[in-house]
Amino acid sequence: DAMVIQNPRYQVTQFGKPVTLSCSQTLNHNVMYWYQQKSSQAPKLLFHYYDKDFNNEADTPDNFQSRRPNTSFCFLDIRSPGLGDAAMYLCATSAGGTGRTETQYFGPGTRLLVL
Amino acid sequence: KQEVTQIPAALSVPEGENLVLNCSFTDSAIYNLQWFRQDPGKGLTSLLLIQSSQREQTSGRLNASLDKSSGRSTLYIAASQPGDSATYLCAPTDSWGKLQFGAGTQVVVTP
């Protein structure tokens, strides 16, 4: 029944050690988003894919990369995690795009801890 | 840049009381506005989506109003229950489908 799935739910990594977070969806939505949410803060959009078109937010650090090999999957790569990257990472999907007004559906999130 | 403010930041009410959560935004050129619920350590669940042309949207005990020209939305939850305890976030959407979230209102409903 799960529609947006994120793996793992909890990830512990070491300072500077690359890490990859995974998101998959069964909704066949063409738009996928990655958000970063730090404790007691609002989610912040990092980037999104409209189909295969990648759209990076202007203030997203270069340390964060993403891949979308097909409609169902999207990955978030953090090349050299710092202590400040510890956060909840949320994946979302929507059937929307330019001029569309569709609801975004969120996964349960991956909590990243950097030691 | 869109700035979204949610007041109050936290709210505690006894079970059965009605909840009123406020959201204000600075840029009225929004495409729609969504209200979400977030339980501790979990993802976001969409509660209501109001199109920019609408004034109100209802789902069960939830009612959301939108005054786009004044940059305000209000979420009403009738007859609150302990299960309503969560953080509620509002997020105006621009024409590209990008959400700009407020920091949320943390709600505790005591039995």
Side-chain angles (χ1 to χ4, degrees), chain A residues 37 42 57 98-99 101 103-104 108, chain B residues 31 38 41 43 46 95-98 102:
Chain A
Q37 186 180 27
E57 292 302 297
T98 305
T101 59
T103 299
Q104 287 193 21
Chain B
Y31 215 84
Q38 186 172 31
S46 180
S95 59
W96 294 91
K98 291 186 185 179

Side-chain angles (χ1 to χ4, degrees), chain A residues 9-10 33 35 37 40-43 45 48 57 88 90 97-109 111, chain B residues 1 31-32 34 36 38 40-46 49 51 89 93-104:
Chain A
R9 296 293 310 280
Y10 300 92
Y33 308 81
Y35 293 85
Q37 186 180 27
S40 300
Q41 294 184 20
L45 181 64
H48 74 279
E57 292 302 297
M88 175 77 89
L90 298 165
T98 305
R100 300 284 297 274
T101 59
E102 304 288 341
T103 299
Q104 287 193 21
Y105 294 87
F106 282 77
R111 183 165 295 282
Chain B
K1 182 189 172 187
Y31 215 84
N32 62 36
Q34 295 185 47
F36 292 88
Q38 186 172 31
K42 301 285 180 65
L44 279 68
T45 301
S46 180
L49 182 151
Q51 305 291 356
L89 298 104
T93 308
D94 66 18
S95 59
W96 294 91
K98 291 186 185 179
L99 300 173
Q100 185 67 45
F101 285 92

Side-chain angles (χ1 to χ4, degrees), chain B:
Chain B
K1 182 189 172 187
Q2 180 74 276
E3 300 287 340
V4 183
T5 304
Q6 290 189 245
I7 294 173
L11 185 59
S12 181
V13 299
E15 181 177 4
E17 271 200 16
N18 297 331
L19 288 162
V20 180
L21 310 179
N22 297 299
C23 171
S24 62
F25 47 94
T26 55
D27 185 353
S28 62
I30 64 170
Y31 215 84
N32 62 36
L33 184 142
Q34 295 185 47
W35 280 93
F36 292 88
R37 168 188 172 134
Q38 186 172 31
D39 292 288
K42 301 285 180 65
L44 279 68
T45 301
S46 180
L47 298 173
L48 290 167
L49 182 151
I50 314 177
Q51 305 291 356
S52 61
S53 58
Q54 293 179 309
R55 301 280 294 181
E56 201 171 310
Q57 187 69 260
T58 298
S59 175
R61 292 184 296 112
L62 307 180
N63 174 277
S65 67
L66 175 64
D67 185 343
K68 186 179 159 184
S69 61
S70 66
R72 293 181 184 179
S73 179
T74 302
L75 178 67
Y76 302 90
I77 303 177
S80 61
Q81 304 168 359
D84 294 329
S85 299
T87 296
Y88 292 83
L89 298 104
C90 78
T93 308
D94 66 18
S95 59
W96 294 91
K98 291 186 185 179
L99 300 173
Q100 185 67 45
F101 285 92
T105 294
Q106 185 176 8
V107 171
V108 174
V109 180
T110 54

